[in-house]
Amino acid sequence: MPLRLILAVVLLLCAGGTARAHLVSSSYLYLAMTQGGARGQWDIALRDLDAVVGLDTDLDGSITWGELKAKQAAVESYALSRLGLSAGGRPCRLRATGFLVDYHAGYAYAVIRFDAACPAAAAPLVLDYRLLFDIDPTHRGLLTVAGSGGVQTAVLAPDASRVAIAPAAQTKLGEIARFLLFGFNHILLGYDHLLFIAVLLITASLRRPSGTRWIPIDSLGRVISETLKTLTAFTLAHGISLTLAVLGIVDIPGRIVDPAVAATIMLAAVDNVQPFLMRTRWGIAFAFGLVHGLSFAAALGPMRLPAADLAIALGCFNLGVEAGQAALALLLVPITFTLRVEALYRRLMAPALSAAAFALAALWFVDRVFALDLLSLHPAAPLLAAMAPS
């Protein structure tokens, strides 16, 4: 019995057991260049601000406009203190000019509008972004800069927090690479999405004729082919719903989408033990991928990109997600293919791993339905999560 391989499967599939449920943390920063600096708009998720400023003052699990408005000064101070603009080494002066709330892909965001007054003769501008990195290194800032030379985009991260503002200098190749990497990193940080794919891969090397137990698939080529079909179906489906959500055609509240993602994991795990869904794994991946795509939509949000640039961002993001899924498959498929001939794996290990995935997804489901936020990525977050303001 290849014990080390069994242990590897357990570690890979149960790694999410100690990981906290992942809700995407992204902010959207838009700068329109002016003669003396820039006009900006910064959209920051309420659940992120609640973790650092404390918006839900009555701890009832929802943030009202009154609660948000009462903390306006604290929110603006916190945000603008973590954003720097400089020209020729000399700092620009940031001044808040507007404060409101908006929804993107079903999630509530505080919207801070501001002006940046920069030294007139100094150039180019350099942006320094430090929002939330001290408590959540997985946070990403999506930057769009509109200037006379064109549009510039950037994905801001702890190791890429400084950007020289030069829209005319940005190449399409750089934009493609940027969103490919963003999609790849996004799926690797999306523990719930990874767990769903892992649940499908538990039985990737097995087949179950009607009325019989799981039996091994003899051909590695067939396993690889079916796995590719499953991953591609998932990517195609979430690409469809992601695009519809980003374009504003579909808008479902995050408090519905997040529990639904957890529910897809639970259903797929049950199907591994007692089949009741469609026979094809790729069919399940496509159907449930439509749900996951609504969750992915918060990753791109309102970037205000021209149509061509938005198409590049969406396409490359999806390809990056597909690459991340393929990386997981490269780890798991050889292990499950080796173990498929072992009766212990088919009759005990695969059901046990599916049950563990079900239990973890059930915990996420309860956490998200009741907005407990017990599994938040933010160590400073209060127990009750931010929901949509009334």
Side-chain angles (χ1 to χ4, degrees), residues 185-241:
N185 289 334
H186 191 80
I187 188 67
L188 294 185
L189 295 172
Y191 308 126
D192 40 12
H193 306 304
L194 278 183
L195 185 59
F196 174 73
I197 295 298
V199 168
L200 294 182
L201 294 178
I202 288 174
T203 55
S205 299
L206 304 172
R207 61 187 181 90
R208 193 170 193 173
S210 180
T212 66
R213 294 180 175 180
W214 288 113
I215 60 176
I217 296 176
D218 294 330
S219 169
L220 177 60
R222 179 180 173 187
V223 171
I224 294 174
S225 174
E226 290 299 318
T227 299
L228 287 175
K229 285 167 59 177
T230 297
L231 298 183
T232 302
F234 182 72
T235 299
L236 179 61
H238 73 60
I240 292 172
S241 53

Side-chain angles (χ1 to χ4, degrees), residues 315-327:
C316 292
F317 178 84
N318 280 309
L319 288 176
V321 169
E322 176 84 349
Q325 296 167 175

Side-chain angles (χ1 to χ4, degrees), residues 296-361:
F296 283 136
L300 291 177
M303 289 193 67
R304 300 193 187 185
L305 295 174
D309 294 274
L310 180 60
I312 291 174
L314 286 170
C316 292
F317 178 84
N318 280 309
L319 288 176
V321 169
E322 176 84 349
Q325 296 167 175
L328 178 63
L330 286 174
L331 288 175
L332 292 184
V333 168
I335 297 174
T336 59
F337 186 76
T338 300
L339 294 177
R340 79 197 191 288
V341 296
E342 304 290 345
L344 179 61
Y345 178 75
R346 298 195 303 272
R347 298 178 185 177
L348 178 61
M349 293 298 298
L353 290 170
S354 299
F358 178 91
L360 180 57

Side-chain angles (χ1 to χ4, degrees), residues 96-305:
T97 59
F99 190 75
L100 57 153
V101 69
D102 202 354
Y103 293 85
H104 308 305
Y107 299 89
Y109 287 74
V111 178
I112 302 169
R113 291 177 176 164
F114 62 92
D115 287 336
C118 300
L125 288 182
V126 175
L127 181 142
D128 184 16
Y129 182 99
R130 302 181 301 277
L131 184 73
L132 293 169
F133 290 153
D134 53 340
I135 65 168
D136 184 3
T138 69
H139 172 79
R140 297 293 181 265
L142 274 71
L143 171 68
T144 303
V145 181
S148 58
V151 174
Q152 177 181 358
T153 61
V155 178
L156 302 162
D159 59 350
S161 59
R162 291 176 63 86
V163 176
I165 304 299
Q170 178 167 279
T171 65
K172 292 299 181 185
L173 184 60
E175 187 176 6
I176 289 171
R178 189 174 302 112
F179 284 101
L180 280 172
L181 182 60
F182 183 44
F184 185 83
N185 289 334
H186 191 80
I187 188 67
L188 294 185
L189 295 172
Y191 308 126
D192 40 12
H193 306 304
L194 278 183
L195 185 59
F196 174 73
I197 295 298
V199 168
L200 294 182
L201 294 178
I202 288 174
T203 55
S205 299
L206 304 172
R207 61 187 181 90
R208 193 170 193 173
S210 180
T212 66
R213 294 180 175 180
W214 288 113
I215 60 176
I217 296 176
D218 294 330
S219 169
L220 177 60
R222 179 180 173 187
V223 171
I224 294 174
S225 174
E226 290 299 318
T227 299
L228 287 175
K229 285 167 59 177
T230 297
L231 298 183
T232 302
F234 182 72
T235 299
L236 179 61
H238 73 60
I240 292 172
S241 53
L242 164 64
T243 302
L244 294 176
V246 168
L247 294 178
I249 298 173
V250 173
D251 187 14
I252 300 177
R255 63 180 181 272
I256 295 176
V257 173
D258 292 331
V261 168
T264 64
I265 301 170
M266 296 164 62
L267 292 171
V270 171
D271 188 66
N272 278 353
V273 179
Q274 184 60 51
F276 71 100
L277 299 173
M278 61 189 76
R279 294 287 297 277
T280 57
R281 294 272 94 179
W282 68 263
I284 296 173
F286 183 88
F288 289 166
L290 294 172
V291 177
H292 285 246
L294 298 174
S295 178
F296 283 136
L300 291 177
M303 289 193 67
R304 300 193 187 185
L305 295 174

Side-chain angles (χ1 to χ4, degrees), residues 36 38 41 58 73 77 82-83 97 155 164 225 320 342 371:
Q41 177 170 311
D58 59 7
S77 175
R82 282 154 178 80
L83 179 67
T97 59
V155 178
S225 174
E342 304 290 345

